[in-house]
């Protein structure tokens, strides 16, 4: 057990947990980070081929991995970084599946993060005031602007300052170049459709496998926090619930369960920060709430666990012809790997919503010649392969919920029951995104192809044909791994779970800073904004802490 004294407990060690730990450590506050999973060595986390592939196939055949094979990252990462569903169960309605991807290890899902860093715009915060939204952001873009900049400088992300209202500029070390196919594609799109076509923003490839990737908390925020000597990590511990003082005005401690021996412990702290990912955070709060504990947390809004959101997505693969003077970039140097920054973005934003009868915004991420198969395996010769993925905003809906199942896990902890469905507004966004994607591909001289025709291999075709990403309908909720909501921040405790500084209204020494605190989903990739919200809330907590 931990020997050093600590003043703050942070639950979770991923993107927000690392940011919280670093912010506290910089202020000289001693922190204990609790992580559900193990602490892996770099070689363990990376794994090797063919061992990783053997683990994938065994996991799929035994049912330990059910949703994970639907995600491209599963096939390029060590499958151990994707939590075993049987050991980490959850439930959902039979007709409304939810694809929950968990990353239970020190570093969390930051180890498998795609590494795209997009800011929300002022219009995204302001849009929540419209009548179609039942929740409203209590902060504006200005409240996060300086935090965005500091985080981007620290992480050293790539990007280009494109001066777009729907996607504010950031602090970048320069962009990663387009492939030649992408550059030609971009020229056609700008000329024919007058759409913004920009370098994606984020991280490049991690080429040094002896170091943690910079996009992970272990390679950036948590690494620096530990270096400062103020942070200790307690791994393999599941947080069951929060314990309050007798007057229920403040949290006293948390109850953790040791996964190795099942023993329960109570860890006291002056401040508790929940960063364990949206659904786990909601599960902890629900387990701590007064309906499940006579001396539990009070939620004046009665909205805890409601308004769960995820991005709705749609995907198309396509080919473009190789021009006569086009250099073949599919070489052994891997200069054009698909990464968060090694790709492109078409940020549509919100400006098409009114005339197209839907509410919200969307963006389209893509790449060409980033995962090119060998010519001998390609069905379509003399072409380059590309993809476009649209991801759109999902409106808050009180019927989309996380609750506690009657079932419990191996440690007698209630498991989450996740119930979320796409409504008509989301379906209209998918229809709009599909039309736009097809228009873009046609304008770029491309040809849409089924994903199972990328490789001319029968066995691969059978696997790819079952992918939810290839269907005409949107994949089920959870697929895009951008779940947010359930414990929203706000200015009115009758409508929100948290105040505008991410504190529980009736228990101010508990902060919720991961995706659970979002009132709306917006359309951008959320991780950078989660980190900015975390930094802002923790800096305020430090001031309160000292007072």
């Amino acid at each position: 057990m931990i020997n050093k004294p600590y003043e703050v407990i942070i639950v979770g060690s991923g993107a927000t947990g690392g940011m919280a730990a670093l912010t506290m450590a910089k202020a000289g506050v001693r922190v204990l980070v609790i992580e559900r999973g193990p602490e892996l060595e770099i070689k363990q986390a990376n794994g090797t081929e063919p061992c990783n592939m053997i683990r994938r196939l065994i996991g799929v055949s035994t049912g330990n991995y059910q949703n994970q094979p639907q995600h491209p990252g599963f096939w390029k990462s060590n499958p151990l970084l994707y939590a075993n569903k049987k050991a980490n169960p959850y439930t959902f309605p039979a007709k409304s599946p939810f694809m929950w991807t968990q990353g239970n290890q020190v570093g969390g899902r930051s180890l498998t993060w795609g590494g795209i860093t997009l800011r929300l715009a002022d219009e995204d915060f302001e849009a929540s005031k419209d009548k179609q939204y039942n929740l409203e952001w209590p902060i504006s873009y200005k409240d996060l602007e300086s935090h965005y900049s500091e985080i981007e400088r620290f992480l050293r992300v790539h990007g280009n300052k494109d001066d777009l209202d729907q996607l504010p500029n950031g602090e970048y070390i320069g962009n990663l170049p387009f492939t030649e196919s992408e550059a030609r594609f971009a020229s056609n799109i700008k000329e024919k459709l007058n759409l913004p076509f920009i370098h994606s923003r984020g991280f490049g490839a991690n080429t040094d496998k002896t170091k943690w990737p910079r996009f992970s908390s272990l390679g950036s925020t948590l690494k620096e926090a530990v270096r400062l000597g103020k942070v200790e990590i307690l791994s393999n511990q599941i947080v069951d619930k929060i314990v309050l003082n007798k007057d229920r005005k403040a949290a006293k401690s948390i109850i953790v369960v040791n996964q190795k021996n099942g023993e329960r412990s109570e860890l006291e702290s002056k401040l508790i920060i929940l960063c364990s990912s949206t659904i786990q955070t909601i599960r902890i709060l629900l387990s701590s709430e007064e309906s499940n504990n006579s001396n539990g947390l009070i939620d004046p809004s009665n909205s805890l666990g409601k308004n769960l959101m995820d991005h709705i997505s749609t995907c198309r693969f396509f080919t473009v012809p190789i021009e006569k003077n086009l250099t073949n970039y599919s070489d052994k140097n891997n200069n054009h790997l698909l990464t968060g920054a090694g790709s492109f973005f078409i940020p549509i934003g919100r400006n098409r919503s009114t005339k197209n009868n839907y509410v919200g915004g969307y963006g389209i991420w893509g790449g060409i010649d980033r995962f090119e198969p060998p010519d001998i395996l390609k069905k379509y010769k003399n072409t380059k392969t590309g993809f476009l993925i649209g991801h759109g905003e999902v409106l808050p809906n009180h019927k989309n919920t996380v609750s506690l199942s009657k079932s419990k896990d191996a440690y007698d902890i209630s498991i989450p029951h996740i119930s979320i469905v796409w409504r008509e507004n989301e379906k209209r966004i998918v229809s709009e995104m599909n039309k736009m994607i097809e228009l873009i591909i046609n304008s770029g001289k491309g040809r849409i192809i089924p994903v199972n025709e990328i490789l001319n291999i029968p066995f691969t075709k059978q696997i790819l044909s079952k992918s939810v990403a290839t269907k005409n309908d949107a994949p089920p909720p959870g697929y895009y791994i951008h779940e947010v909501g359930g414990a929203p921040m706000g200015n009115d405790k009758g409508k929100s779970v948290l105040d505008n500084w991410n504190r529980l209204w009736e228990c101010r020494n508990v902060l919720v800073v991961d995706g659970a605190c979002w009132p709306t989903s917006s359309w951008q990739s959320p991780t950078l904004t989660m980190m900015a919200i975390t930094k802002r809330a923790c800096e305020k907590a430090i001031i309160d802490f000292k007072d």
Side-chain angles (χ1 to χ4, degrees):
M1 191 56 73
I2 299 298
N3 296 316
K4 297 179 181 178
Y6 51 84
E7 301 162 290
V8 175
I9 288 178
I10 296 172
V11 182
S13 60
T16 57
M19 192 73 251
L22 179 57
T23 306
M24 290 292 166
K26 281 183 174 180
V29 179
R30 191 167 294 283
V31 173
L32 177 65
V33 175
I34 307 290
E35 173 52 51
R36 182 183 181 98
E39 189 166 5
L40 303 174
E41 298 291 335
I42 294 179
K43 288 184 178 180
Q44 286 179 288
N46 287 334
T48 58
E49 296 295 355
C51 295
N52 286 347
M53 181 57 72
I54 293 171
R55 292 190 193 100
R56 293 184 195 108
L57 296 176
I58 292 175
V60 171
S61 63
T62 59
N64 288 336
Y65 297 133
Q66 296 177 17
N67 299 330
Q68 297 90 337
Q70 297 287 352
H71 301 288
F74 177 78
W75 297 97
K76 66 178 183 179
S77 303
N78 184 346
L80 293 179
L81 302 180
Y82 291 80
N84 179 327
K85 185 183 177 183
K86 288 185 177 179
N88 301 273
Y90 66 99
T91 60
F92 50 79
K95 295 183 179 180
S96 304
F98 185 88
M99 303 180 69
W100 188 21
T101 297
Q102 303 177 64
N104 298 334
Q105 61 272 328
V106 174
R109 293 193 308 199
S110 75
L111 291 176
T112 54
W113 178 29
I116 294 176
T117 57
L118 305 181
R119 297 187 181 195
L120 267 63
D122 195 54
E123 65 180 30
D124 298 301
F125 296 99
E126 292 298 316
S128 66
K129 297 177 182 178
D130 294 343
K131 64 180 181 179
Q132 295 93 338
Y133 294 84
N134 59 17
L135 294 171
E136 184 177 328
W137 282 95
I139 59 176
S140 68
Y141 174 74
K142 287 293 183 184
D143 292 314
L144 297 181
E145 186 174 19
S146 63
H147 301 291
Y148 277 136
S149 294
E150 287 184 44
I151 294 168
E152 288 162 341
R153 284 194 290 266
F154 174 74
L155 294 178
R156 301 197 299 273
V157 297
H158 295 275
N160 191 67
K161 295 190 175 183
D162 302 293
D163 299 327
L164 299 173
D165 291 338
Q166 71 270 38
L167 201 61
N169 293 331
E171 300 294 329
Y172 307 120
I173 59 173
N175 60 61
L176 293 185
F178 291 139
T179 66
E180 284 193 54
S181 296
E182 288 171 345
R184 291 175 180 274
F185 193 75
S187 178
N188 286 327
I189 303 311
K190 291 176 182 178
E191 178 183 347
K192 296 178 181 179
L193 301 179
N194 194 30
L195 290 175
F197 193 111
I198 67 173
H199 296 270
S200 189
R201 302 171 180 180
F203 296 88
N206 179 36
T207 55
D208 187 350
K209 297 302 180 181
T210 65
K211 296 181 180 179
W212 293 107
R214 186 73 181 171
F215 55 76
S216 72
S217 61
L218 289 174
S220 55
T221 51
L222 192 57
K223 173 186 174 182
E224 178 64 12
V226 170
R227 188 192 69 79
L228 292 173
K230 296 294 182 180
V231 174
E232 247 187 293
I233 298 170
L234 182 61
S235 59
N236 276 312
Q237 304 286 326
I238 302 175
V239 175
D240 183 0
K241 60 186 177 181
I242 298 168
V243 179
L244 302 190
N245 293 328
K246 289 183 178 180
D247 61 6
R248 294 206 283 177
K249 298 293 184 183
K252 169 190 168 187
S253 60
I254 60 171
I255 303 297
V256 298
V257 182
N258 188 320
Q259 288 210 74
K260 293 183 177 179
N261 55 28
E263 291 183 357
R264 272 176 157 72
S265 303
E266 184 173 357
L267 304 176
E268 296 188 357
S269 179
K270 296 178 182 178
L271 179 66
I272 296 168
I273 307 175
L274 297 183
C275 306
S276 57
S277 82
T278 296
I279 293 170
Q280 286 291 9
T281 286
I282 296 170
R283 192 268 305 164
I284 293 169
L285 291 172
L286 287 170
S287 298
S288 312
E289 200 250 345
E290 61 180 343
S291 62
N292 295 300
N293 288 280
S294 58
N295 195 48
L297 294 170
I298 300 170
D299 171 27
S301 69
N302 194 32
S303 63
L304 178 61
K306 299 177 181 177
N307 298 294
L308 180 69
M309 298 163 281
D310 183 29
H311 282 147
I312 190 163
S313 65
T314 183
C315 177
R316 294 290 184 273
F317 289 85
F318 63 95
T319 60
V320 292
I322 296 178
E323 303 288 345
K324 292 182 179 179
N325 59 343
L326 181 65
T327 304
N328 187 348
Y329 270 127
S330 299
D331 54 30
K332 297 180 181 180
N333 295 324
N334 291 323
N335 291 328
H336 296 282
L337 291 173
L338 178 64
T339 64
S343 46
F344 60 79
F345 233 98
I346 304 174
I348 304 297
R350 300 177 175 275
N351 61 1
R352 294 176 57 86
S353 59
T354 303
K355 61 182 178 181
N356 287 281
N357 195 32
Y358 65 86
V359 178
Y362 71 92
I364 299 172
W365 180 53
I368 308 173
D369 197 13
R370 297 282 181 176
F371 51 90
E372 206 65 33
D375 288 342
I376 194 172
L377 300 180
K378 291 169 65 172
K379 179 174 182 178
Y380 300 101
K381 310 298 183 182
N382 299 314
T383 65
K384 296 293 184 181
T385 308
F387 73 92
L388 292 179
I389 299 177
H391 51 87
E393 181 173 5
V394 171
L395 299 184
N397 173 14
H398 70 278
K399 293 183 179 180
N400 290 338
T401 62
V402 177
S403 58
L404 295 182
S405 170
K406 294 180 181 179
S407 303
K408 296 193 175 184
D409 66 12
Y411 305 100
D412 199 36
I413 296 174
S414 296
I415 66 176
H417 178 76
I418 307 168
S419 179
I420 175 173
V421 296
W422 300 136
R423 293 190 295 175
E424 284 305 311
N425 188 67
E426 282 83 56
K427 293 175 183 178
R428 287 195 290 267
I429 288 182
V430 170
S431 178
E432 155 73 12
M433 290 193 296
N434 282 334
K435 290 177 183 177
M436 178 59 75
I437 286 173
E438 291 171 11
L439 178 62
I440 289 169
I441 292 173
N442 290 334
S443 299
K445 298 182 180 180
R447 173 188 176 187
I448 295 175
I449 60 170
V451 65
N452 59 346
E453 292 188 6
I454 293 176
L455 296 175
N456 197 23
I457 307 175
F459 176 71
T460 305
K461 287 183 178 183
Q462 293 174 5
I463 295 176
L464 293 175
S465 65
K466 297 179 181 179
S467 171
V468 297
T470 67
K471 309 301 181 184
N472 290 329
D473 295 334
Y479 171 78
Y480 217 67
I481 324 182
H482 285 174
E483 61 268 13
V484 295
M489 57 194 301
N491 286 319
D492 183 350
K493 68 179 181 180
K495 295 182 179 180
S496 59
V497 176
L498 313 170
D499 69 11
N500 63 327
W501 293 104
N502 297 81
R503 303 171 295 198
L504 287 171
W505 281 106
E506 300 295 331
C507 188
R508 299 300 183 94
N509 68 334
V510 175
L511 303 184
V512 177
V513 295
D514 58 22
C517 76
W518 286 44
T520 73
S521 68
S522 194
W523 63 267
Q524 296 89 333
S525 305
T527 306
L528 179 67
T529 299
M530 290 180 186
M531 295 174 75
I533 289 172
T534 300
K535 183 173 176 294
R536 173 182 180 270
C538 288
E539 288 181 357
K540 170 63 174 174
I542 290 167
I543 295 172
D544 296 341
F545 194 78
K546 292 179 179 178
D547 292 342

